[in-house]
Amino acid sequence: MASVASQTSRSGTDAQTARSADRAERSSAPDVVVVGAGFAGLYMLHKLRTLGFSARVIETADDVGGTWYWNRYPGARCDITTADYAYSFDPELESAWTWSEKYATQPEIMRYAQFVAERYDLKRDIDFGTRVDQARWDDAAGRWHIHTSGGETLTPRFYVMATGCLSAPKEPDIPGAGSFKGEVYSTNRWPHGGVDFSGKRVAVIGTGSSGIQCIPLIARQAAQLTVFQRTPNYSVPARNGAVAPARLQQLNADRAAYRQAAKLSRAGVPMPLNMVYGRYAPPELRTQLLNQGWESGELVAAISIFADQGLFEDANELVCDFVRDKIRAAVQDPATAEALCPKDHPFGTKRPCLDTGYYETYNRPNVRLVDLKRTPIEAITASGIDVGGESLLFDAIVYAMGFDAMTGALVAVDIAGRGGQTLKQKWADGPTSYLGLTTTGFPNFFTITGPQSPSVLSNMMVSIEQHVDWIGDCLAHMRQRGASVIEPTDTAESGWMQHCDDCAAITLHPRANSWYMGANVPGKHRGLLPYIGGVDAYRKACDEVAERGYLGFSFSGPGIAGGRSTEDGVVRRLQPDVRMVQEMMAALNLPTFDSLPPDAARGLLAQINSQRPPGLPVGEIRDGTLPGPAGALDYRLYRPDTPGPHPLAVYFHGGGWVLGSHDSDDPMLRDLCRRSGVLIVSVNYRHAPEVRFPAAADDALAAVRWAGEHARELGAIPGQLVVAGWSAGGNLAAVTCQRVRDEGGPRILGQLLLTPVTDCDMTTRSYVENADDYVLTAPLMRWFWDHYCDPADRADPRASPLRAKDLSKLPSAMVVTCEFDPLRDEGQTYAAALAKAGVPVQELRARGHTHLSPTMVDVVISGEPVRAQMAQALRGFFAPTQASRA
Ligand SMILES: Cc1cc2nc3c(=O)[nH]c(=O)nc-3n(C[C@H](O)[C@H](O)[C@H](O)COP(=O)(O)OP(=O)(O)OC[C@H]3O[C@@H](n4cnc5c(N)ncnc54)[C@H](O)[C@@H]3O)c2cc1C
């Protein structure tokens, strides 16, 4: 194989001599060794110097630039607008540099890296042409021993890997790859002098970002170009040109505010939050937004056309269909167009590409597409590629195979931490880290844009700067405290991993075989590598860790009392979407319900509810009335979209006996009806304080009796009845079960109690822990009780069903409790008491959820498993009866 080595900017011998001379002047025991002189390593060095730390940078390449040093293929450009893809740490640097295009080319970005290196005189501390091969932690000395390809051993206190997420090339895994006798190129190790393909027959293997960027340019030069495609990618036209005037104006109007907005954005680029749900948007609005996303020529815009496109397949499919139609319109040959249409992954779950004339390239007579899904490569031979029974002859093969992303460059170095365990061993089943910055067992070791940080799902300049600043601040903090060693705790790391998994689980990402998931490298562990909770959320977590005394870290050193101190804990325990809703609510600065008179509180609730997604349709929704003890009660019926008759659930809404209505729980009941196939009658009972205890309980009992008697008219199966309720409605459902047992009524087959009020005791641990953070606060609960029930009546089992003397012979129950709910403990105690009394009980403890969050359909996606299990339980209540009927 004629491999093309990268050309260097200095001749080999000169560079070697210069390097040796330089090194002689550098300490082998600096405070910090940084590996990599891409944008991360360069800024890290500058930051360390600014803070007064000594540092050395080791870099394999012969120059700065990292990604932009190695990836010199034709068409290589950034795909985040260069106005955003730039350092922001120094306003003077910003004003000293102007980008010539919306998306700068590789040479221009390289010039920028050079400009920065020279401006801050960085090269004097960088060892170019040198690899770090091995690193060992010396526990006794509290230092790293880092071995370089230059034969040197460096012994810094701190070791920072700035080795890049996309810097370890993925080697071709195709039979015969080594036997080709023609020219061989790899997009990520491109010759510095360029390549002339004129008159040549060229193969490009791979259609990721690099392939899509270089294919149109190679096609223009080569005599013939054959593209070998394993997986088609979605690509959006870049519409490159001058920097958009609107962007420039926004930036120049207030640069600091713009950069700050980037730091607090989802992806590191300021972008207004789009609140339109694709699944509910009217067709004209959908089309308008899809066209806007397409016309924008920006990835960040394309991945956020709809607020729900990353969450729901139906919303995502709108984008996929739109792009596929664009591909079909651009490519003349229908078979080629169809092969180019991605169908195996949701839009955005593999990195979408930006292109200039990519799809149109396939209309050229000299370009052919080979779809490897239909005809896999049989072998690469000395003269070409055997595929689909044909032997295709080539003069050159270009591999655009991508990278062993995120972890490749880290585990390529033999790094051993405490006790000799290597990073490769520790990460054999996938990388684990705390904040993507540190990992247990590897003291004084940091990774810039490491796995479990936003990294490749963000504008990396913003993420790089954030990591560098955080590391720099951490080292300064240690110096100030007299700490010499830092290491994350197991609790913090496993908590962060759980949080990352929670973030991934609410997206469509895990459904794709992408390099984000490690799926492009055979044998690599499968799991979402970057943090998908957003640049903004991530930054807040990192800042909070520091503000809370470096929560989740142990420090040791001469200045630490007792030699060691640990601030153990988990920084994010709420489900990510629950937290997001909390923050959005807090930003609205609404009055608390308990600060208002009941009518005003009801108005506020209705106003809040009017902003939420409506929920998906069911077979039928109709309103009616039923006779209550003191007049008619309104109800709303949800009929499944399946042939009836159906089993029946009578449901009572939440709202502390004061607020709420069948409207307030509407989206959740649509969801429950769709999932369970059960007909639901949601009853509006009388509210306090206008009518106090036991009116609501009496209404509930009357409603259940009525429903039992009118099952057939409702389209339900007689005798197939359960009750359900949320919060105060859960209280009414539980009370009704007891009263039907004691006072007579229809047979109830089950009770579904979602975060029910079961007792008037407000001193439980869950009340103390969750007193004032999560909408249902202790003061609000007190307000509810005060409106509903005199203190003297509260121990009555019709108010506090937990106080009933006998809990036996009650219907089977499912009790759902939420971790961050004041009512958690009383729900769990009720479940335990029911079980003790011989009632079959399923208990579901919703981790990371609050009192309200599981009900927030289409907003709190992490509540889906809870809602699914509730629906399953609802169905399950009827199962024995249905089986006996059969
Ligand atoms: C073609 C391409 C286009 C991209 N476009 C964008 C974009 O538009 N926007 C965006 O946000 N991101 C983009 N990226 C991601 C890009 O990698 C980052 O934006 C950024 O350049 C990463 O900088 P870094 O310093 O972290 O890593 P790198 O630039 O990868 O630098 C790491 C350096 O570490 C060196 N190194 C690695 N291991 C060792 C070792 N053991 N010893 C010594 N040296 C070592 C490498 O030689 C390399 O120079 C793109 C990536 C590619 C490949």
Side-chain angles (χ1 to χ4, degrees):
M1 170 169 140
S3 72
V4 178
S6 63
Q7 295 168 15
T8 57
S9 47
R10 297 188 275 182
S11 87
T13 340
D14 287 356
Q16 206 68 44
T17 320
R19 281 197 297 267
S20 310
D22 289 350
R23 265 188 219 126
E25 293 159 23
R26 294 175 190 155
S27 162
S28 63
D31 295 324
V32 188
V33 162
V34 179
V35 187
F39 285 125
L42 292 179
Y43 180 41
M44 190 76 247
L45 174 58
H46 174 67
K47 178 87 187 178
L48 289 167
R49 280 192 196 160
T50 319
L51 291 168
F53 292 104
S54 60
R56 271 179 73 177
V57 177
I58 312 297
E59 169 57 63
T60 312
D62 280 314
D63 207 340
V64 296
T67 293
W68 306 103
Y69 172 93
W70 298 109
N71 293 267
R72 296 167 183 252
Y73 57 85
R77 289 176 191 272
C78 57
D79 54 17
I80 294 283
T81 54
T82 13
D84 296 282
Y85 188 70
Y87 287 123
S88 70
F89 64 86
D90 180 353
E92 285 179 18
L93 168 66
E94 285 208 57
S95 39
W97 182 269
T98 308
W99 294 105
S100 68
E101 285 181 282
K102 177 179 170 189
Y103 296 111
T105 56
Q106 173 274 332
E108 188 173 4
I109 304 175
M110 239 335 246
R111 283 199 297 280
Y112 176 69
Q114 295 275 10
F115 177 76
V116 172
E118 273 154 34
R119 187 177 175 91
Y120 302 103
D121 188 21
L122 297 176
K123 290 192 183 179
R124 71 179 153 87
D125 284 326
I126 304 176
D127 291 19
F128 290 109
T130 310
R131 237 192 107 68
V132 166
D133 295 322
Q134 194 191 59
R136 295 277 173 272
W137 170 249
D138 178 345
D139 215 12
R143 286 186 174 270
W144 282 94
H145 292 247
I146 297 175
H147 304 284
T148 74
S149 58
E152 210 182 349
T153 300
L154 305 172
T155 55
R157 209 165 262 299
F158 299 100
Y159 172 22
V160 178
M161 288 290 268
T163 43
C165 296
L166 302 175
S167 63
K170 190 194 156 209
E171 298 305 328
D173 51 350
I174 303 168
S179 50
F180 184 62
K181 297 275 184 261
E183 299 165 30
V184 176
Y185 303 99
S186 194
T187 49
N188 45 42
R189 291 291 180 267
W190 202 259
H192 287 205
V195 181
D196 185 1
F197 290 113
S198 304
K200 293 186 178 152
R201 297 161 302 175
V202 182
V204 173
I205 305 179
T207 54
S209 292
S210 304
I212 282 179
Q213 283 188 332
C214 71
I215 284 165
L217 293 175
I218 296 178
R220 278 193 231 154
Q221 210 179 48
Q224 288 170 24
L225 170 63
T226 307
V227 177
F228 292 82
Q229 169 193 274
R230 188 151 56 185
T231 315
N233 258 316
Y234 295 99
S235 186
V236 174
R239 302 181 199 282
N240 199 17
V243 182
R247 178 69 54 96
L248 214 51
Q249 202 180 7
Q250 199 188 354
L251 186 61
N252 290 335
D254 187 345
R255 225 166 242 273
Y258 186 90
R259 296 300 181 207
Q260 186 61 17
K263 289 174 184 177
L264 295 176
S265 65
R266 297 275 306 153
V269 177
M271 185 74 57
L273 261 191
N274 184 355
M275 300 307 284
V276 177
Y277 273 54
R279 59 182 1 193
Y280 298 122
E284 324 75 66
L285 181 59
R286 279 181 187 167
T287 310
Q288 181 200 328
L289 293 175
L290 286 162
N291 279 321
Q292 267 172 23
W294 183 258
E295 296 299 326
S296 72
E298 291 197 27
L299 275 187
V300 182
I303 57 171
S304 47
I305 293 170
F306 301 120
D308 54 349
Q309 74 185 66
L311 308 174
F312 301 117
E313 258 171 20
D314 55 352
N316 191 281
E317 198 53 26
L318 298 171
V319 184
C320 298
D321 269 348
F322 180 87
V323 178
R324 287 193 285 254
D325 283 349
K326 292 287 184 191
I327 297 170
R328 290 179 188 120
V331 180
Q332 287 154 5
D333 173 45
T336 305
E338 228 31 58
L340 287 165
C341 284
K343 290 175 193 121
D344 68 346
H345 63 278
F347 184 88
T349 56
K350 286 188 173 201
R351 189 175 175 90
C353 307
L354 279 187
D355 71 273
T356 303
Y358 173 66
Y359 293 117
E360 293 76 5
T361 297
Y362 292 94
N363 297 333
R364 295 176 67 99
N366 67 332
V367 177
R368 172 182 173 187
L369 179 72
V370 176
D371 179 0
L372 298 180
K373 284 254 160 66
R374 288 166 62 106
T375 50
I377 291 179
E378 287 142 22
I380 295 183
T381 64
S383 54
I385 298 177
D386 289 352
V387 64
E390 277 185 275
S391 287
L392 305 177
L393 302 179
F394 295 109
D395 302 305
I397 295 180
V398 174
Y399 290 106
M401 305 289 288
F403 301 88
D404 181 354
M406 308 242 10
T407 53
L410 295 170
V411 297
V413 180
D414 174 21
I415 305 171
R418 210 186 276 289
Q421 188 194 31
T422 65
L423 193 62
K424 198 170 182 175
Q425 286 164 345
K426 183 180 169 187
W427 286 3
D429 294 328
T432 56
S433 78
Y434 183 34
L435 303 172
L437 274 161
T438 60
T439 187
T440 58
F442 293 79
N444 289 4
F445 175 71
F446 298 93
T447 51
I448 300 183
T449 63
Q452 290 99 34
S453 76
S455 54
V456 290
L457 291 178
S458 68
N459 170 2
M460 290 200 63
M461 282 301 222
V462 170
S463 292
I464 284 170
E465 285 193 340
Q466 187 242 338
H467 268 190
V468 168
D469 290 341
W470 193 95
I471 295 168
D473 292 347
C474 176
L475 299 193
H477 168 86
M478 289 177 69
R479 179 172 57 193
Q480 191 241 327
R481 279 179 72 181
S484 48
V485 178
I486 179 175
E487 190 183 342
T489 67
D490 289 336
T491 314
E493 180 158 306
S494 56
W496 186 251
M497 293 305 298
Q498 179 68 65
H499 175 61
C500 291
D501 288 349
D502 289 345
C503 291
I506 60 180
T507 71
L508 298 173
H509 271 267
R511 302 192 194 177
N513 285 325
S514 63
W515 59 260
Y516 292 141
M517 294 289 297
N520 66 326
V521 176
K524 192 165 174 173
H525 176 83
R526 212 188 134 92
L528 188 62
L529 291 162
Y531 175 77
I532 198 172
V535 164
D536 46 353
Y538 176 77
R539 176 182 292 269
K540 285 181 196 161
C542 292
D543 288 352
E544 188 179 322
V545 163
E547 281 154 19
R548 292 170 69 181
Y550 287 89
L551 178 73
F553 285 103
S554 282
F555 291 98
S556 55
I560 305 288
R564 190 177 176 84
S565 91
T566 304
E567 195 64 51
D568 208 0
V570 172
V571 66
R572 288 288 173 262
R573 293 174 59 210
L574 273 181
Q575 289 288 344
D577 42 7
V578 175
R579 187 181 175 81
M580 208 184 297
V581 173
Q582 288 285 126
E583 288 179 352
M584 285 167 85
M585 296 281 288
L588 294 175
N589 212 9
L590 298 169
T592 59
F593 291 115
D594 49 297
S595 67
L596 300 170
D599 266 343
R602 288 170 193 148
L604 176 63
L605 180 66
Q607 186 197 330
I608 294 171
N609 283 342
S610 69
Q611 305 298 316
R612 67 192 168 169
L616 292 171
V618 298
E620 184 198 7
I621 296 180
R622 73 173 158 81
D623 291 347
T625 55
L626 61 91
L633 300 174
D634 293 334
Y635 71 83
R636 179 166 295 166
L637 178 146
Y638 299 83
R639 194 183 309 287
D641 187 16
T642 50
H646 301 95
L648 172 65
V650 178
Y651 175 86
F652 304 108
H653 64 78
W657 309 283
V658 178
L659 311 176
S661 66
H662 52 218
D663 281 337
S664 58
D665 296 26
D666 185 78
M668 184 177 70
L669 294 183
R670 290 167 182 251
D671 186 78
L672 199 58
C673 175
R674 286 170 66 93
R675 286 176 192 274
S676 66
V678 172
L679 188 151
I680 299 174
V681 171
S682 169
V683 180
N684 270 0
Y685 46 91
R686 282 172 294 160
H687 279 164
E690 291 82 354
V691 190
R692 289 164 64 84
F693 172 82
D698 290 346
D699 287 357
L701 178 62
V704 168
R705 283 177 174 157
W706 176 85
E709 286 159 15
H710 295 82
R712 214 178 291 281
E713 291 153 46
L714 292 167
I717 306 167
Q720 296 266 299
L721 176 70
V722 299
V723 293
W726 169 40
S727 190
N731 169 278
L732 298 178
V735 168
T736 302
C737 289
Q738 294 186 9
R739 292 184 72 182
V740 165
R741 178 196 61 183
D742 301 338
E743 300 171 33
R747 185 167 167 238
I748 299 175
L749 301 178
Q751 47 182 327
L752 172 62
L753 310 179
L754 172 58
T755 59
V757 183
T758 67
D759 195 56
C760 54
D761 175 13
M762 295 179 62
T763 61
T764 56
R765 198 159 64 92
S766 55
Y767 259 105
V768 176
E769 286 173 3
N770 307 300
D772 52 15
D773 269 352
Y774 307 110
V775 183
L776 183 66
T777 59
L780 178 58
M781 205 56 219
R782 195 165 300 116
W783 187 82
F784 285 144
W785 271 115
D786 289 346
H787 280 309
Y788 180 50
C789 193
D790 290 340
D793 291 332
R794 290 184 195 172
D796 185 317
R798 289 172 303 165
S800 293
L802 184 60
R803 308 261 170 147
K805 288 205 170 51
D806 178 14
L807 292 177
S808 66
K809 299 196 179 63
L810 289 171
S812 301
M814 172 179 237
V815 183
V816 182
T817 57
C818 292
E819 188 179 4
F820 297 99
D821 180 3
L823 306 187
R824 179 194 68 207
D825 290 357
E826 64 193 76
Q828 291 177 4
T829 309
Y830 194 60
L834 287 174
K836 196 165 169 223
V839 176
V841 179
Q842 291 175 65
E843 213 191 324
L844 171 57
R845 298 183 174 193
R847 182 180 52 76
H849 281 279
T850 63
H851 185 73
L852 284 85
S853 57
T855 70
M856 295 182 172
V857 174
D858 290 348
V859 176
V860 173
I861 315 302
S862 61
E864 276 203 20
V866 179
R867 296 188 283 272
Q869 286 181 67
M870 286 186 348
Q872 197 183 8
L874 208 56
R875 264 200 318 272
F877 290 143
F878 302 106
T881 328
Q882 280 174 344
S884 68
R885 269 161 42 92

